Structure formats: structure tokens, C-alpha cells
């Protein structure tokens, strides 16, 4: 399948964060949540360390993963703190990774994924200072890609998520986007399907949430990732074979019932095109949206390129809404 990015997207030429910016061991910096704090930008990013491309190709693997912290005055130039800010590891948990930040009532809630000996879990932590974190909720396996809405809806906290059912999806990773509600951010339920892979015409594998949604008068703007597989793809990045391509779509959810998709672009919003996205990464042909910040009439999209660096793109908020106006009904 041949795709192109929507013309409304304007990319910054260079990544805003790479391993070179990190003052402690680092080889890959990506999947970063971004928010605003006291007029500044704050970023939490996944940091994989302890393995180079050459070591990987010879059979070695990363020493570990932690989550780094960075601040910025302009959202473009980042100062990384001298130490990681978040890590989990014990007899059951192997690592925590892929943070997403949502501000709710002045507090900073971080959704993250956790690899355990018994499956992938999704967690939620809260912090006021990005120094001390309280873990308030952990899902059962297998669930991940959780993102919180920035306010209660009908008196309930709401999140998008991507459960990973294999048996019921024919043994394949045909994963979909779901929504769950909570009275207290601890106990979750009343789950509903939001979007199935079959409703995304440019996907032949799986979909999942991306950045935390942004509220507009037209509805909740929500980015999602989608994957298409091409068996003709060979070695891309560090892997011996990598047949997947991760791209970005956009949809509009009802303000009062965000389980309802009221608009969705019939074409991809962003597909891998630049050198950072198509070559030199851990896995080439990978885009993953992790943060959306609204600045005036503009949306800033922070995204992972190549599972290796954090990049930035911009578009006008209204143009993003307009891209969602053609809803796919079948």
C-alpha cells in the first residue's frame, strides 16, 4: 500500500531529542509523553541503553530500560535531567516504559506500559513534581497504550486503551481501540469498543491509541497508530527482518460520549517519509504519536521516529478537525 502524509503536517527537520542529549547511558530515546508545567514543557521519554546496532546484530540485547525527564522553554530545545526519573524492576516486573502524560486538575498523571513475567500490563502513576511518583492503578495482562482524557466526562475519568486479545482475533495481532471509565482512576470498567481495525481502511494489522486526546469545540481530537504489513519488506533497521510499518491516523470523538467516533480521516495523517523515519532507526518505517500540545491555533505533535528519536510536527487545529470530517461508515 502506498501512502503519503497529509499536506497539513509540517515537520521539524531535526529530532528534538536523541541519545546524544542524554547525560547517562543511552542508545535509543523515543516514545515520549509531553505536557506543560509552570509555563514550560516537560517530557518523559523511554530510554533503552546498553546495546549498539552491531551488538544487537551479533545477538546481544539491551541492559535495560528507564524513563528520562527533560524540560524546555520552547518545546524544541530540551535539557535532560542528570538522572532517570522513573523505573520499575523486581522479581515479577522486567521494566516500565512508554510514558504518556495527562494533566488533570493541576496534577500530572502518567500512563505507562510494564513488561512482566506473566504479560504486558498498563499502569497509571501520579506526580506533582516529577520526582516522586505514586502508582495508583495497574491493569491485568494484556493491555497497553493507555491514555487518559484531561478531564472527567459525565463524572467519570476516561481512558483509551488497547487490549491484546489473541485467541478471539484468530491468533493474530488484530488489536483495537477500547475505552474504559473509572470513578477514582483506580478501578476501571464499563469498557466499550471505540474503533476496530476493520474500520481503518489503510490498516491490515493492528491499531491503538497514541497521544492523550485534546478537547476542541468540535469534539475530542485523538491520534492513533496503525500498522500495515508487507511481506516484501526485508531488513529495516537493526532487525533481520521487519515487515511492519507504523503510521498515524486521526479521529474525532464525541465530547459527551467519547466511545463514539464522530469523524475520522479516510487517509493517513502521517506516514514514514523523512530520513529519521525511514532509515537508521532501531526499526525503520515507524511513527508513533505520544504527545499533543495545543498552542493557540496550532497543535504540536511529538512522535517517535524509527524507535530511536523524538520528533516534532505541527498543524493548525482547525485543519486537523477538518481532516476528520469524512467519517468512514462501513
Amino acid at each position: 500500500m502506498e501512502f503519503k502524509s497529509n499536506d497539513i503536517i509540517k515537520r521539524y527537520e531535526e529530532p528534538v531529542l536523541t541519545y546524544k542529549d542524554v547525560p547517562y547511558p543511552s542508545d535509543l530515546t523515543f516514545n515520549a509523553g509531553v505536557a506543560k508545567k509552570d509555563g514550560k514543557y516537560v517530557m518523559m521519554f523511554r530510554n533503552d541503553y546498553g546495546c549498539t546496532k552491531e551488538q544487537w546484530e551479533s545477538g546481544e540485547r539491551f541492559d535495560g530500560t528507564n524513563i528520562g525527564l527533560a524540560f524546555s522553554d520552547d518545546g524544541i530545545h530540551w535539557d535532560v535531567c542528570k538522572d532517570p526519573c522513573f523505573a520499575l524492576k523486581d522479581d515479577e516486573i522486567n521494566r516500565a516504559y512508554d510514558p504518556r502524560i495527562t494533566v488533570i486538575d493541576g496534577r500530572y498523571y502518567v500512563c505507562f506500559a510494564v513488561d512482566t513475567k506473566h504479560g504486558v500490563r498498563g499502569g497509571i502513576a501520579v506526580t506533582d513534581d516529577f520526582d516522586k511518583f505514586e502508582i495508583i492503578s495497574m491493569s491485568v495482562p494484556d493491555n497497553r497504550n493507555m491514555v487518559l482524557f484531561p478531564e472527567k466526562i459525565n463524572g467519570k475519568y476516561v481512558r483509551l486503551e488497547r487490549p491484546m486479545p489473541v485467541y478471539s482475533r484468530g491468533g493474530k495481532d488484530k488489536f483495537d481501540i477500547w475505552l474504559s471509565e473509572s470513578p477514582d482512576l483506580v478501578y476501571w470498567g464499563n469498557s466499550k469498543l471505540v474503533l476496530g481495525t476493520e474500520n481503518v481502511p489503510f490498516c491490515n494489522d493492528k491499531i491503538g491509541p497514541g497521544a492523550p486526546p485534546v478537547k476542541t469545540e468540535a469534539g475530542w481530537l485523538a491520534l492513533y497508530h496503525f500498522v500495515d504489513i508487507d511481506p516484501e519488506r526485508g531488513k529495516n533497521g537493526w532487525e533481520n527482518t521487519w515487515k511492519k510499518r507504523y503510521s498515524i491516523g486521526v479521529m474525532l470523538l464525541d465530547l459527551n460520549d467519547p466511545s463514539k467516533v464522530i469523524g475520522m480521516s479516510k487517509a493517513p495523517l502521517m506516514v514514514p517519509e523523512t530520513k529519521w523515519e525511514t532509515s537508521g532507526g532501531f526499526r525503520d518505517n515507524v511513527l508513533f504519536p505520544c504527545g499533543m500540545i495545543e498552542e493557540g491555533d496550532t497543535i504540536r505533535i511529538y512522535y517517535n521516529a524509527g524507535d530511536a528519536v523524538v520528533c516534532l510536527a505541527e498543524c493548525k487545529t482547525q485543519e486537523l478537525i477538518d481532516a476528520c470530517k469524512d467519517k468512514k461508515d462501513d
Side-chain angles (χ1 to χ4, degrees):
M1 292 181 279
E2 294 298 326
F3 302 139
K4 67 181 293 292
S5 297
N6 193 308
D7 291 338
I8 66 174
I9 293 294
K10 309 300 180 188
R11 290 170 165 89
Y12 281 72
E13 291 186 4
E14 299 292 322
V16 296
L17 189 79
T18 77
Y19 74 94
K20 296 178 181 179
D21 300 309
V22 181
Y24 44 85
S26 178
D27 292 289
L28 304 171
T29 56
F30 61 110
N31 284 354
V34 180
K36 297 291 287 291
K37 184 180 190 302
D38 301 328
K40 290 189 175 185
Y41 293 80
V42 58
M43 174 192 290
M44 292 177 67
F45 60 91
R46 170 175 170 173
N47 179 61
D48 289 359
Y49 62 90
C51 188
T52 65
K53 179 181 179 181
E54 292 72 24
Q55 290 172 324
W56 180 275
E57 291 175 340
S58 68
E60 297 184 42
R61 293 298 178 260
F62 291 100
D63 290 339
T65 297
N66 51 42
I67 295 177
L69 180 68
F71 291 93
S72 172
D73 290 326
D74 59 10
I76 302 169
H77 306 92
W78 293 85
D79 294 319
V80 178
C81 297
K82 64 177 183 178
D83 297 304
C85 69
F86 190 84
L88 290 177
K89 189 173 178 62
D90 58 26
D91 291 341
E92 170 65 14
I93 295 174
N94 298 320
R95 62 175 182 168
Y97 57 101
D98 293 358
R100 309 283 185 268
I101 307 172
T102 302
V103 185
I104 306 176
D105 296 332
R107 305 195 76 193
Y108 300 87
Y109 292 86
V110 182
C111 294
F112 55 93
V114 177
D115 284 349
T116 79
K117 293 179 180 179
H118 296 88
V120 179
R121 304 175 68 186
I124 301 174
V126 63
T127 183
D128 296 306
D129 55 10
F130 292 93
D131 179 31
K132 298 179 179 64
F133 293 83
E134 177 189 358
I135 297 175
I136 57 178
S137 179
M138 293 283 286
S139 77
V140 297
D142 279 310
N143 203 348
R144 62 179 297 187
N145 293 150
M146 294 176 179
V147 294
L148 290 169
F149 285 73
E151 63 184 54
K152 287 184 178 180
I153 302 173
N154 300 319
K156 298 290 182 63
Y157 296 99
V158 182
R159 74 184 183 196
L160 298 176
E161 57 196 354
R162 193 202 70 187
M164 302 163 68
V166 175
Y167 289 153
S168 62
R169 298 300 270 158
K172 300 178 180 178
D173 51 350
K174 289 281 186 181
F175 307 143
D176 313 296
I177 298 175
W178 288 72
L179 174 147
S180 292
E181 298 176 344
S182 172
D184 55 8
L185 288 165
V186 178
Y187 301 102
W188 293 86
N190 196 27
S191 303
K192 300 176 183 177
L193 178 68
V194 176
L195 188 68
T197 56
E198 65 274 11
N199 301 121
V200 181
F202 31 85
C203 167
N204 65 10
D205 188 53
K206 62 184 176 181
I207 61 174
V214 169
K215 189 178 186 180
T216 73
E217 292 184 357
W220 292 101
L221 274 172
L223 300 179
Y224 62 92
H225 70 275
F226 69 89
V227 179
D228 71 279
I229 293 178
D230 183 346
E232 299 301 317
R233 295 187 185 122
K235 182 173 175 56
N236 289 287
W238 297 17
E239 304 279 19
N240 289 330
T241 179
W242 178 248
K243 302 181 185 302
K244 296 180 180 181
R245 172 173 55 183
Y246 279 67
S247 303
I248 301 173
V250 61
M251 59 183 173
L252 200 62
L253 306 178
D254 186 86
L255 286 175
N256 297 313
D257 183 1
S259 69
K260 294 181 179 178
V261 179
I262 60 174
M264 188 177 78
S265 175
K266 291 182 179 178
L269 179 67
M270 294 179 65
V271 299
E273 291 171 339
T274 72
K275 66 178 182 179
W276 304 104
E277 302 164 2
T278 61
S279 63
F282 176 65
R283 289 171 174 152
D284 296 336
N285 296 315
V286 170
L287 303 183
F288 206 110
C290 304
M292 272 201 300
I293 301 292
E294 188 171 24
E295 296 283 4
D297 63 353
T298 299
I299 293 282
R300 282 185 159 179
I301 300 171
Y302 291 87
Y303 66 97
N304 149 27
D307 278 356
V309 297
V310 179
C311 290
L312 173 62
E314 292 184 352
C315 61
K316 297 298 182 183
T317 304
Q318 188 59 51
E319 290 180 331
L320 204 54
I321 294 170
D322 291 343
C324 297
K325 284 185 175 180
D326 294 325
K327 181 181 177 182
K328 187 78 173 176
D329 293 321
D330 56 3

